[in-house]
Amino acid sequence: MMAYLDNAATTKVSQTAAQAALEAMTMSFGNPSARYPLGGQAAKRLKTDRETVAKSLGCDSREIIFTSCGTEGDNWAIQAAIQKNRHVGRHIITTAIEHAAVLEPCKRLEQQGYDVTYLLPDENGSIRLDDLGAALRPDTVLVSMMLVNNETGAVLPVKEAAAMTRRLAPQAFFHTDAVQGFLKLPFTPKGLGVDLLTISGHKIHAPKGIGALYIRSGRLIDPMILGGGQESGLRSGTEPTAQIAALAAACAEGKANLQRDIAHMQELKAYTLGQLALRVPEAEQVGRGEAPHILALTLPGYKAEVLVRVLGDMGVCVSAGSACHRGKPSHVYAAMGLDKAKRDGSFRVSFSGDTQRTEVDAFLEALTEAKAKLFTSMS
Ligand code: PLP
C-alpha cells in the first residue's frame, strides 16, 4: 500500500479539477482573445473561473492575476513593490523562515544595495510582532511575511503585522506568501489587510503550472510580462485556460469542503501524535505548527534523509525538511536554534482532505520498522 503523506510538497489533482482541465482543453479550447464564438466561449469560461477563484479568497475577480506558480507570484510581488516604492527607500523586511521563492529574490536585492531585515523566529517557529515593530522604518518599502511556514506549519501573525505596517510605514507594500495557508485556514486577503498575496495550484489539488497573485484593488503595480495585454495588461501571454479551469474547480471544491477538511486533518494530526507517543516515544514535534496539514517531527540521532529513503522504499512518502531545498540543511530549523541532532533527524508529514487513516497507520508501521533497521545498521 502506498501512503502519501507529503501533501505540503504537492497534492494529487482532484477528479473534478482534472475533468475541468480536460473540458477546457478539448471543448472550450479557443483562444479567449479570438473574436468568434469558440473564442467567446473560452473567454466566458475564463471569466467564470476567475470569479470562482476570487470567491474562494473572498475578493473581487479584478484582484486576481493568474501566474504560473507560487514562486512566480512571490518574485513578482517583491519586484513590483520595490519598483513602485523606489522613491520611498531601499529597506525590506521579511523573515528568516520564508520559502526560497521569497528569500532568494531578497538576497539578490541585497546584492543590489537594498537593506534587508530578516526577522528571526521564536522557538515555536513564529515571528514576534515586537521584532517587526522595531524593524519598521520610514524607508521600508516592503514587508513580506508568509502565512503558514511550509516546514513547521507555524501560522504567522500576518493580520497583526499588516496592521502594524500600515500604521508605522504606510507607504510599504505588505505581501504574504499564502501558498501553505490557502484552503488550510479560513482567511481572506481583505481580512488580513494585505496588499499582495500569493497562492499556488498544486498545493490544493490543481495541477502544477498555475497559481495566482492577489493584488488589492487600488494598489497599482507594474506588469510582470509585456505583450498582448492579457491579465489586465499585467501578465501577457495567452491564458493557460486548462490550468485555470482546474484551479477554479479545485478552489470551489476546497472552499466548499474547508471546514470538513480542516477537522479531518486536525484529527489525523492528533492521531499521529498520539500514536507516535505510544509507539515511537523518542519522536518529537518541532515547533507548535498550528496549521492542520503539517506535522514537523524529529528523531534525534537518526539521519532524516536516510529515514525518508527507507520509508520511501516501504511505500511511505514523507519529506526530510523541505522538498524544495533538495537535501540542503533546513534554514528554518537553523533559524529556530534547533540543535544538530534534532535538525539532522527532522522530517515532515503532511496531510490533505483526502488522506486516509490507513495511510497514517502504514507510516507508523514503517517508521517503527525503519527505526529498528537503522538502529541495527548504526550499532
Ligand atoms: N511558498 C511556499 C510557502 C511553498 O511551500 C512553496 C512550495 O513549496 C512555494 C512558495 C513555491 O510554490 P510553487 O511550487 O508553486 O512555485
Side-chain angles (χ1 to χ4, degrees):
M1 178 209 169
M2 185 172 102
Y4 186 72
L5 297 172
D6 201 14
N7 290 279
T10 199
T11 55
K12 182 173 168 179
V13 175
S14 77
Q15 284 299 326
T16 327
Q19 197 55 43
L22 184 66
E23 203 273 335
M25 287 189 285
T26 56
M27 307 290 283
S28 46
F29 65 86
N31 188 320
S33 301
R35 306 281 160 139
Y36 38 77
L38 190 64
Q41 193 188 333
K44 203 164 145 206
R45 176 77 207 243
L46 178 61
K47 183 169 179 286
T48 317
D49 288 340
R50 196 185 307 280
E51 284 163 3
T52 304
V53 174
K55 202 165 155 207
S56 70
L57 280 164
C59 68
D60 193 286
S61 61
R62 284 167 298 192
E63 296 175 309
I64 295 295
I65 302 293
F66 293 115
T67 60
S68 68
C69 59
T71 301
E72 180 186 319
D74 285 346
N75 271 255
W76 183 17
I78 293 167
Q79 272 305 326
I82 61 147
Q83 267 302 318
K84 210 70 204 163
N85 269 343
R86 61 189 178 280
H87 305 302
V88 175
R90 289 169 82 81
H91 178 233
I92 295 169
I93 302 175
T94 187
T95 81
I97 56 169
E98 296 297 311
H99 189 271
V102 167
L103 287 179
E104 291 301 318
C106 285
K107 276 191 219 156
R108 167 73 64 88
L109 288 167
E110 261 186 309
Q111 286 160 8
Q112 293 170 0
Y114 276 80
D115 184 6
V116 183
T117 304
Y118 298 91
L119 302 176
L120 290 172
D122 59 23
E123 64 284 0
N124 284 312
S126 193
I127 297 292
R128 295 179 207 89
L129 285 168
D130 287 352
D131 292 347
L132 173 64
L136 283 163
R137 312 193 312 220
D139 65 335
T140 305
V141 293
L142 164 71
V143 178
S144 183
M145 179 186 285
M146 69 197 327
L147 187 56
V148 172
N149 181 267
N150 49 302
E151 294 193 36
T152 64
V155 179
L156 274 56
V158 166
K159 183 177 175 181
E160 295 76 11
M164 183 181 268
T165 302
R166 190 91 46 241
R167 215 169 50 244
L168 300 179
Q171 308 249 45
F173 274 80
F174 195 100
H175 166 247
T176 188
D177 171 342
V179 168
Q180 293 290 351
F182 183 45
L183 298 179
K184 307 294 187 303
L185 307 174
F187 73 86
T188 64
K190 202 168 168 196
L192 293 175
V194 301
D195 298 306
L196 302 165
L197 180 143
T198 308
I199 63 165
S200 170
H202 74 102
K203 311 285 187 183
I204 60 148
H205 305 283
K208 296 158 188 65
I210 187 71
L213 182 66
Y214 157 88
I215 306 170
R216 185 162 69 86
S217 164
R219 264 305 208 180
L220 296 178
I221 65 170
D222 292 341
M224 166 79 181
I225 304 177
L226 296 172
Q230 292 90 344
E231 298 295 295
S232 309
L234 291 176
R235 187 182 184 278
S236 288
T238 301
E239 301 89 341
T241 49
Q243 285 94 325
I244 291 171
L247 177 67
C251 284
E253 230 178 350
K255 182 75 178 167
N257 298 329
L258 185 61
Q259 293 308 331
R260 189 200 71 188
D261 286 351
I262 290 175
H264 176 67
M265 294 186 289
Q266 272 167 346
E267 202 182 301
L268 285 177
K269 191 168 167 174
Y271 174 70
T272 311
L273 279 168
Q275 289 296 311
L276 279 172
L278 295 173
R279 296 163 67 171
V280 193
E282 60 277 51
E284 291 171 40
Q285 186 176 5
V286 179
R288 204 172 37 220
E290 305 90 339
H293 64 308
I294 295 179
L295 177 54
L297 295 166
T298 182
L299 262 181
Y302 290 82
K303 287 251 176 279
E305 282 151 65
V306 181
L307 200 62
V308 164
R309 203 154 9 93
V310 173
L311 290 177
D313 290 342
M314 292 191 248
V316 175
C317 309
V318 300
S319 80
S322 164
C324 305
H325 298 115
R326 300 190 190 281
K328 272 196 264 163
S330 160
H331 65 286
V332 176
Y333 294 152
M336 281 168 70
L338 235 61
D339 68 40
K340 189 167 164 9
K342 284 191 182 175
R343 245 170 26 222
D344 288 351
S346 67
F347 61 103
R348 179 187 69 187
V349 175
S350 50
F351 313 105
S352 84
D354 56 20
T355 304
Q356 303 292 315
R357 188 183 271 220
T358 48
E359 294 181 277
V360 175
D361 289 333
F363 157 69
L364 293 162
E365 198 71 35
L367 185 64
T368 314
E369 214 177 294
K371 221 188 55 169
K373 221 187 224 172
L374 291 174
F375 184 73
T376 319
S377 64
M378 283 194 314
S379 55

